[in-house]
Amino acid sequence: MLPGVGVFGTGSTARVLVPLLQAEGFEVHALWGRSEEEACCLAKELGIPFHTSRSDDVLLHQDVDLVCIYIPPSMTKQIAVKALGIGKNVVCEKAATAVDSFKMVTAARYYPQLLSIMGNTLRFLPAFVAMRQRLLEGYIGEIQVCDVRVYGPSLLDQSYGWTCEELMGGGGLHTVGSAIIDLLSYLTGARAHRVHGLLRTFVQQNSLIRGIRRVTSDDFCFFQMLMGGSGSAGVCCTVTLNFNMPGSFVHEVMVVGSTGRLTVRGTELFGQRNGSKDEELLLGDNGWVGPEVKAMPLPHLQGLSSMVKALRQSFQAHEERRSWARGPVAMAPTFEDGLYVQTVVEAVKQSSSSGEWVCVEIMSQEPDPNHNLCEALQRNKN
């Protein structure tokens, strides 16, 4: 039996997610929006019977057993933690800070019987699933280098909002880079231990955002990661994100090894072994039969569709609506993965400010909220 679904968010992801859920047999019973008007408009458009701007109305809805959270990062932790505490399964986007991510991890550990996964859909894209399988089979030998390029138009909303604010989780690094960081860990089986990065905001104002308001979120980001073993034994990764390029969207992930390389361009997988003159197509694009969504690049769109199919397989084998099987969603990132990713993001930001390499240290306990105040009082006392 498939669980009833409650969706938080009225943005582009929610607009795509709801029809995908409905197509796989899920019933979407409730929708939350930041305003009654937003929620009402989208609920009517997508045929959702209940809408609200009060989060508890969705979380306490008797027919909702799976909560999908696609809202601004600064709000994610509050909803995810409360949903788990009420006994709901959770699929959600990234949080705004590592501290928020840690609180989500703590909640997930309290309720291990509940589904709690991050919504990085790139892990589910067939091209990356096939790439990981080829890597495990030794197609390129020992992994040495990962190179990622993502180019596209501006990520800013039409009006001033959270996408414009770096502290609210806006910017290319947090929005797109976090998915890449997670993907590289999934592909290589390793985690970053040192990072170096550079962030820039080239467009601080435009025709819609002007006056006293300025954009602080990055629209260009370049960072390097040393993953796995220390010294020459690890994997070197470079990632370039540029969202000042109107036109066609570029999404390329290349993994180079001792005997060849694998490359995913868009939704297709290519491979080339050392000594071969040409690369070969290992997995083509079977074509997207769903609706075209300008706000969501095709790799993320197809990955989201594959994730929803995996969720159906996970839940449909159980008669109890809240029960699920781990197998179909085993590749999904956990809340622990989300904490790692957010830690790397903050380390890259720190490196951009200092100009130095920064070690990635994942927190093992929640920091004291009064720590800075105590330090200041101690300095005054001395």
Side-chain angles (χ1 to χ4, degrees):
M1 181 180 293
L2 295 178
V5 181
V7 174
F8 282 82
T10 56
S12 58
T13 302
R15 288 177 178 275
V16 178
L17 176 64
V18 171
L20 291 175
L21 287 167
Q22 293 168 336
E24 291 297 324
F26 288 94
E27 291 188 28
V28 181
H29 292 284
L31 175 73
W32 176 93
R34 283 179 292 181
S35 69
E36 285 286 345
E37 184 180 359
E38 283 185 5
C40 179
C41 181
L42 188 60
K44 286 183 178 179
E45 179 184 332
L46 300 177
I48 301 173
F50 177 78
H51 66 271
T52 181
S53 60
R54 292 163 48 92
S55 60
D56 286 355
D57 290 347
V58 175
L59 295 176
L60 296 175
H61 196 291
Q62 63 179 0
D63 295 322
V64 171
D65 297 296
L66 171 63
V67 176
C68 298
I69 307 170
Y70 290 88
I71 55 180
S74 59
M75 304 168 63
T76 298
K77 179 267 299 181
Q78 176 186 353
I79 304 299
V81 170
K82 183 178 285 189
L84 289 170
I86 294 172
K88 310 291 185 180
N89 296 296
V90 174
V91 178
C92 73
E93 272 289 358
K94 51 205 163 290
T97 67
V99 173
D100 281 358
S101 296
F102 185 83
K103 291 177 180 178
M104 290 166 58
V105 168
T106 302
R109 288 172 178 168
Y110 273 123
Y111 307 102
Q113 75 278 12
L114 295 173
L115 175 77
S116 56
I117 61 175
M118 306 300 295
N120 180 15
T121 59
L122 290 180
R123 286 198 184 202
F124 289 89
L125 183 68
F128 287 123
V129 175
M131 175 185 265
R132 185 170 185 268
Q133 185 59 38
R134 293 278 183 165
L135 291 171
L136 292 173
E137 293 170 355
Y139 182 93
I140 65 169
E142 182 181 355
I143 301 174
Q144 298 171 337
V145 174
C146 297
D147 184 68
V148 180
R149 298 184 304 130
V150 182
Y151 303 154
S154 174
L155 298 174
L156 300 177
D157 289 334
Q158 292 299 309
S159 59
Y160 191 86
W162 71 269
T163 58
C164 304
E165 285 283 350
E166 182 262 335
L167 293 177
M168 296 286 285
L173 173 61
H174 196 280
T175 306
V176 178
S178 57
I180 297 299
I181 293 166
D182 175 71
L183 175 66
L184 292 177
S185 178
Y186 167 70
L187 292 174
T188 64
R191 286 186 167 185
H193 55 86
R194 295 184 71 207
V195 299
H196 187 276
L198 174 69
L199 281 72
R200 287 290 183 268
T201 305
F202 288 108
V203 179
Q204 298 183 9
Q205 290 186 319
N206 58 29
S207 60
L208 299 172
I209 302 169
R210 55 181 185 267
I212 62 172
R213 288 178 167 171
R214 289 184 177 273
V215 177
T216 61
S217 57
D218 62 281
D219 52 28
F220 174 84
C221 177
F222 171 80
F223 63 95
Q224 300 165 292
M225 299 188 295
L226 298 179
M227 305 180 70
S230 59
S232 59
V235 180
C236 302
C237 300
T238 62
V239 179
T240 304
L241 311 172
N242 189 348
F243 298 101
N244 296 292
M245 298 181 64
S248 61
F249 181 79
V250 175
H251 195 283
E252 180 177 288
V253 177
M254 180 187 300
V255 183
V256 182
S258 56
T259 61
R261 63 182 171 90
L262 289 166
T263 307
V264 172
R265 296 190 190 95
T267 59
E268 296 182 319
L269 173 63
F270 300 87
Q272 185 170 0
R273 299 181 190 273
N274 292 352
S276 175
K277 292 183 179 180
D278 302 305
E279 64 179 10
E280 57 179 327
L281 177 63
L282 300 177
L283 183 68
D285 184 359
N286 294 327
W288 171 246
V289 295
E292 292 293 331
V293 183
K294 291 183 178 180
M296 183 177 291
L298 194 56
H300 292 271
L301 185 58
Q302 290 194 10
L304 181 62
S305 176
S306 296
M307 185 186 76
V308 171
K309 287 181 171 63
L311 285 171
R312 174 182 56 77
Q313 294 169 3
S314 177
F315 282 104
Q316 71 179 1
H318 295 265
E319 294 184 6
E320 164 55 41
R321 291 189 308 177
R322 296 188 185 181
S323 298
W324 56 285
R326 188 171 301 275
V329 292
M331 72 178 72
T334 62
F335 280 13
E336 283 85 357
D337 294 320
L339 173 59
Y340 157 72
V341 168
Q342 190 57 43
T343 303
V344 174
V345 166
E346 294 185 3
V348 172
K349 291 181 179 180
Q350 182 183 343
S351 173
S352 182
S353 298
S354 67
E356 300 176 347
W357 283 87
V358 174
C359 292
V360 177
E361 299 178 354
I362 301 175
M363 66 176 66
S364 56
Q365 61 183 16
E366 186 176 344
D368 183 356
N370 297 317
H371 177 70
N372 292 335
L373 176 61
C374 292
E375 280 192 343
L377 291 173
Q378 188 65 37
R379 286 196 300 269
N380 291 336
K381 187 181 295 186
N382 295 335

